[in-house]
C-alpha cells in the first residue's frame, strides 16, 4: 500500500471535510463547525494515499498539550490500518511541535476508536457523564491521555 501523507486543510477544503465525515460517522461535524475550528486556529489535516483523500484530523495545540478534536478515516478505507498510521503521525508531529501530552474524548460506545487509542498508549483519565447526544438519550465521553 502507498504511504499516508498529511497536508494542512484550508478554507477551500471545508466542504470536502464535512462531506467525508458525513459519509463515515454517525455524528459528523457540520461544515460550519469545521470553519469555526479553522478560524479558531486549530490544525486541520487531510490524509491522502497518493491523490486519494482518505481521512482527516483536527488538533488544538495549547502550550505543551495537544487535544485531538476529531479523527476520521473515510468509510471505504476503514479497517486497513490507516487510522493507526494517521494517529501515529499526528503524535509524532505534535511532539515535534513541543507537545508533551495528547488528550482526547471518545464516546463510550466507540469500541473501535477506544481500542486504537489504547494500542497507541492512551489511557483513561476521566469521564464526562451524559456528554454526547446518542441515538436514544445520551452517552458518556471517556477522556483519554497519552505521553508523547
Ligand atoms: C476510529 C477510526 C479513525 C479508526 O481508523 P481505521 O483506519 O478504521 O482503524 P485501523 O484499521 O487503523 O485499526 C486500528 C485499530 O482499531 C481497532 N479496529 C479497527 N477496526 C476494527 C473493527 N472492525 N473491530 C474492532 N476493532 C477494530 C483495532 O484495535 C485496530 O488495531 P489492529 O488492527 O492492530 O487490531 C475509524 O474507524 C473512523 O474514522 N471511525 C469513524 C469516526 C470515529 O469514530 N472517529 C473517532 C472519534 S473519537
Amino acid at each position: 500500500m502507498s504511504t499516508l501523507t498529511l497536508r494542512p486543510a484550508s478554507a477551500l477544503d471545508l466542504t470536502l471535510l464535512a462531506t467525508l465525515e458525513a459519509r463515515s460517522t454517525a455524528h459528523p461535524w457540520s461544515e460550519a463547525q469545521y470553519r469555526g475550528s479553522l478560524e479558531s486556529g486549530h490544525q486541520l489535516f487531510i490524509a491522502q494515499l497518493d491523490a486519494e483523500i482518505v481521512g482527516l484530523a483536527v488538533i488544538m495545540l495549547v502550550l505543551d498539550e495537544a487535544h485531538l478534536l476529531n479523527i476520521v478515516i473515510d468509510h471505504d478505507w476503514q479497517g486497513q490500518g490507516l487510522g493507526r498510521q494517521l494517529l501515529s503521525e499526528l503524535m509524532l508531529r505534535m511532539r515535534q511541535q513541543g507537545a508533551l501530552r495528547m488528550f482526547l474524548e471518545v464516546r463510550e460506545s466507540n469500541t473501535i476508536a477506544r481500542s486504537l487509542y489504547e494500542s497507541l498508549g492512551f489511557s483513561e483519565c476521566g469521564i464526562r457523564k451524559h456528554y454526547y447526544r446518542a441515538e436514544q438519550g445520551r452517552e458518556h465521553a471517556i477522556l483519554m491521555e497519552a505521553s508523547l
Side-chain angles (χ1 to χ4, degrees):
M1 188 190 273
S2 321
T3 313
L4 198 72
T5 56
L6 296 195
R7 68 168 171 89
S10 73
L12 298 176
D13 296 309
L14 298 172
T15 306
L16 183 156
L17 293 171
T19 306
L20 185 154
E21 189 175 9
R23 66 198 222 99
S24 307
T25 73
H27 306 277
W29 287 18
S30 64
E31 189 171 331
Q33 282 174 288
Y34 279 108
R35 180 170 298 105
S37 184
L38 190 65
E39 288 172 357
S40 304
H42 302 160
Q43 299 187 42
L44 278 64
F45 296 97
I46 290 178
Q48 297 188 194
L49 278 181
D50 298 325
E52 180 113 33
I53 291 169
V54 296
L56 65 88
V58 181
I59 293 192
M60 175 175 69
L61 180 60
V62 182
L63 301 176
D64 60 4
E65 292 183 355
H67 295 257
L68 181 67
L69 303 181
N70 205 359
I71 181 166
V72 181
I73 294 295
D74 184 281
H75 179 267
D76 290 346
W77 291 90
Q78 289 176 10
Q80 300 176 43
L82 295 176
R84 181 181 297 282
Q85 275 190 61
L86 174 55
L87 184 51
S88 303
E89 177 64 22
L90 292 168
M91 293 171 80
L92 180 66
R93 287 187 181 212
M94 289 304 114
R95 189 160 61 232
Q96 289 168 344
Q97 290 184 36
L100 299 178
R101 290 181 298 167
M102 184 177 278
F103 294 87
L104 60 83
E105 293 166 7
V106 58
R107 286 173 182 270
E108 190 174 31
S109 63
N110 194 346
T111 50
I112 292 181
R114 287 175 66 183
S115 82
L116 168 62
Y117 300 146
E118 277 165 21
S119 72
L120 286 177
F122 284 83
S123 55
E124 288 187 29
C125 59
I127 184 163
R128 286 195 221 284
K129 295 211 164 178
H130 315 296
Y131 184 70
Y132 293 113
R133 195 170 296 130
E135 303 306 321
Q136 292 182 335
R138 305 191 69 86
E139 72 171 306
H140 303 331
I142 308 296
L143 311 186
M144 304 185 84
E145 72 168 292
S147 295
L148 295 178

